[in-house]
Amino acid sequence: MSYLKRNKRRLSPVALCAVIGFAGLASKASAADQAASNGTPEPPFDGARFENTKPKHDWSLIVGAGAAYEPKYEGSDEFEVSPIPFVVFTYGDWLEINPGGISVTPYKANGFSISGNVGYETGRKDDDGDRLRGLGDIDFAATVGAKLAYEWGPVELYASVDQTINGSESLIGKFGLEYSAPVTERLIIGAKAEATIANAKHMQAYFGIDAAQAARSGLPEYKAEAGLKRIDVSASATYALSERWLVRGEVGVGVLTGDAADTPIVEEKVQPSVSAFVGYKF
């Protein structure tokens, strides 16, 4: 599913355009009848002139801004508000650019799709929290990955894998399901459940503590192994204020598991978040 599931129903202003179109068509028909009664030959009817359809284009662009209220780092018990610029561009069924990166879908048929993506990993600063001091920074890095998905009506089942280039050198796998469907002509609701697994390099970078880090931070040494890292669930709602303006809100909660939950770095295993934004669709 796309970053913002498109509503297949038209909004009510389109119906107004249809009324205007039919009014124009009726006026033309009346003029034609008058011309016929005066003995003037009736020209061939050109139905295309009266079709009330807008030129179709294969692209969509949504630009907006919002904010998220979430933990300061993964495992923190402190929260912060972060501003979020928001841009979503889609072209046909094969290209999407969103805040997470760029996704290309070369294959899509019978509900199945295969896509590749380029994104990023934000990393972490050791001044993001008291328990991180002395652990050092994890650098921002690019990611490349692939995703296999199957859509069954409003439900999408998916599995993805992403490799971080440099930085933490993480290998992350995700699998889950997502639901998105229109409730009214203006409202779309969604829900998502997802599990994340990670390799040893990712787990050690974000949750492990080696001897040097332990000496600097005062925390005990800790080795984090590969495995299930966290489970997330979320719900969202997108409301069209008009044909151009929309608002979106999302609430979610993640639960750290396994070695990610047991590390001395983590202060709180349950990680709630909420976000909201307003956007304009071109």
Side-chain angles (χ1 to χ4, degrees), residues 168-172 197-209 222-228 259:
S168 65
E169 298 185 354
S170 300
L171 182 64
I172 298 290
I197 56 176
N199 69 344
K201 287 185 176 180
H202 175 90
M203 297 293 286
Q204 185 63 25
Y206 282 92
F207 305 104
I209 304 169
Y222 184 82
K223 185 174 183 180
E225 300 286 356
L228 181 64
D259 286 0

Side-chain angles (χ1 to χ4, degrees), residues 7 43 60 80 94 140 162 203 217 241 248:
N7 189 345
S60 173
E80 64 181 0
W94 64 274
F140 179 97
D162 289 277
M203 297 293 286
S217 66
L241 300 171
R248 177 180 171 87

Side-chain angles (χ1 to χ4, degrees), residues 251-275:
V251 294
V253 61
V255 179
L256 295 173
T257 63
D259 286 0
D262 297 335
T263 174
I265 296 172
V266 168
E267 298 171 300
E268 179 57 61
K269 300 177 184 179
V270 180
Q271 302 279 278
S273 63
V274 60
S275 63

Side-chain angles (χ1 to χ4, degrees), residues 130-135 209 212-220:
D130 291 339
R131 293 202 189 184
L132 300 181
R133 299 189 188 279
L135 300 183
I209 304 169
Q213 291 173 323
R216 294 194 303 266
S217 66
L219 297 174

Side-chain angles (χ1 to χ4, degrees), residues 104-189:
V104 176
T105 306
Y107 176 81
K108 191 171 186 178
N110 301 320
F112 288 96
S113 64
I114 300 174
S115 58
N117 62 78
V118 176
Y120 58 88
E121 183 181 274
T122 57
R124 190 181 68 192
K125 301 294 184 182
D126 72 353
D127 60 358
D128 287 342
D130 291 339
R131 293 202 189 184
L132 300 181
R133 299 189 188 279
L135 300 183
D137 296 342
I138 302 174
D139 295 335
F140 179 97
T143 63
V144 294
K147 177 181 177 181
L148 173 65
Y150 176 72
E151 284 193 31
W152 183 40
V155 177
E156 180 186 70
L157 304 174
Y158 64 90
S160 67
V161 60
D162 289 277
Q163 174 69 57
T164 303
I165 309 301
N166 296 321
S168 65
E169 298 185 354
S170 300
L171 182 64
I172 298 290
K174 295 183 178 181
F175 56 93
L177 60 88
E178 184 175 3
Y179 171 88
S180 181
V183 177
T184 69
E185 291 185 343
R186 292 180 180 268
L187 177 64
I188 303 172
I189 62 169

